[in-house]
């Protein structure tokens, strides 16, 4: 990672942190009712007799987050074709670690919520890592985290997002509309055709992408998946030095990092803590999330990565100690954005969503603090080592 990229990641992480803190402060201040009224305010887009009317919260979660998932789709495609996930040898360690870090947290959550069918709908909440926060923390720590571990974390988080996308498509899709799904399929086919023809007019992808998004939104499949489809469709073939995919990715990155993700955090992190008791903080749902993100993530990622290295399936990250690898495993427990997003799909009840937010916040803060401590100690020990 370049110094410029590290700086951008750091600023993005700070913006996300400020938005989260602002939501918490405002939600627990005299402005709390106005905050809730703003989030629930209805906004409508209408062309003649055709229109969409949703709350501001839904526009953010279904609309802005579709752009976030478009960006994720671009990242996944580029990394798989020519980046840190290109080829079996490169991809082995982050893929195996990501799978371990995705499966084990769900088992922890399920174990603590077994027997409650409603609570079990949130089984995937503690499974995903927040790229913006995790990479931002790495940028903040600077040289204490080797470049190889930063790339490992980025690749792992991207695989996490891909697994989350699959989970959303398979497990959080209800009440399908056959007609809307068919039209959405036609939109996806149009995107594939544009890609195969190597069309470089971005406006065509936007038009077909918006049509696909509307159809998917109406179909019952979550609309953010349309963003992924558009990201996968944009060509990576280079023309005069840079591909259309890279142009779109570079253009979207500041908007995603500095606006879209912080806006999502501001709209979803406002937890009213007044009147909340210890029993609310230690209910099975938040405990399941904390156990999954803080314990399950570190054990799943570090255990799977260590096993892959010991078995010779993957190579240990260059210039990194086992303690530093463990620190990165701890950092994957920062599951803020995607965890909250999956929570909004799993639950509509505001009481349960409050428990989700509390659990995610507690687990993410705990994971970040312990990870920073481990990475600082391990980084200084590694720098002082006579082998260096």
């Amino acid at each position: 990672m370049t110094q410029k990229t590290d700086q951008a990641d750091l600023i993005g992480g700070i913006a996300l942190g400020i938005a989260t803190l602002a939501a918490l402060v405002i939600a627990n201040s005299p402005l709390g009712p106005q905050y809730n009224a703003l989030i629930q305010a209805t906004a409508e887009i209408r062309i003649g007799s055709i229109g969409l009317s949703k709350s501001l919260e839904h526009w953010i979660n279904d609309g802005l987050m579709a752009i976030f998932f478009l960006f994720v789709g671009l990242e996944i495609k580029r990394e798989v074709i020519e980046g840190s996930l290109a080829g079996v040898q490169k991809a082995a360690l982050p893929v195996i670690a990501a799978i371990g870090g995705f499966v084990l947290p769900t088992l922890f959550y399920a174990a603590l919520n077994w027997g409650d069918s409603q609570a079990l709908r949130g089984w995937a909440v503690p499974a995903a890592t927040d790229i913006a926060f995790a990479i931002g923390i790495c940028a903040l720590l600077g040289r204490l985290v080797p470049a190889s571990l930063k790339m490992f974390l980025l690749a792992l988080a991207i695989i996490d997002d891909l697994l989350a996308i699959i989970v959303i498509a398979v497990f959080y899709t209800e009440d399908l509309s056959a007609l809307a799904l068919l039209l959405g399929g036609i939109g996806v086919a149009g995107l594939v055709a544009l890609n195969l023809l190597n069309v470089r007019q971005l406006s065509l992808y936007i038009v077909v992408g918006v049509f696909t998004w509307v159809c998917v939104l109406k179909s019952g499949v979550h609309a953010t998946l349309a963003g992924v489809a558009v990201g996968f469709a944009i060509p990576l073939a280079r023309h005069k030095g840079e591909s259309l995919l890279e142009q779109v990715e570079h253009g979207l990155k500041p908007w995603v990092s500095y606006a879209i993700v912080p806006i999502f955090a501001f709209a979803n992190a406002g937890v009213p803590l007044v009147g909340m008791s210890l029993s609310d903080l230690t209910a099975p749902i938040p405990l399941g999330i904390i156990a999954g993100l803080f314990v399950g993530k570190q054990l799943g990622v570090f255990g799977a990565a260590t096993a892959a290295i010991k078995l010779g399936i993957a190579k240990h990250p260059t210039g990194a100690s086992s303690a530093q690898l463990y620190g990165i495993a701890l950092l994957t427990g920062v599951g803020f954005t995607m965890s909250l997003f999956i929570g909004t799909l799993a639950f509509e009840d505001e009481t349960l969503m409050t428990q989700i937010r509390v659990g995610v916040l507690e687990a993410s803060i705990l994971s970040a603090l312990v990870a920073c401590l481990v990475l600082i100690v391990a980084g200084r020990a590694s720098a002082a080592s006579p082998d260096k």
Side-chain angles (χ1 to χ4, degrees), residues 180-190 212 215-216:
L181 201 57
L182 175 62
L183 291 173
I186 292 172
V188 172
T212 305
C215 293
V216 173

Side-chain angles (χ1 to χ4, degrees), residues 55-137:
S55 68
L56 183 60
E57 182 182 22
H58 278 97
W59 278 114
I60 292 169
N61 292 349
D62 293 344
L64 280 184
M65 288 302 283
I67 301 174
F68 168 78
F69 276 89
L70 161 60
F71 182 74
V72 169
L74 295 170
E75 279 193 321
I76 291 171
K77 180 174 180 177
R78 178 178 51 76
E79 292 293 336
V80 167
I81 293 177
E82 60 179 35
S84 57
L85 298 173
V88 175
Q89 195 169 31
K90 276 187 179 181
L93 187 63
V95 168
I96 292 170
I99 292 172
F102 204 89
V103 172
L104 206 57
T106 67
L107 296 179
F108 273 87
Y109 180 93
L112 287 168
N113 288 275
W114 199 255
D116 186 340
S117 59
Q118 186 179 30
L120 281 174
R121 280 188 55 81
W123 64 270
V125 170
T129 296
D130 188 288
I131 293 180
F133 262 141
I135 298 298
I137 290 170

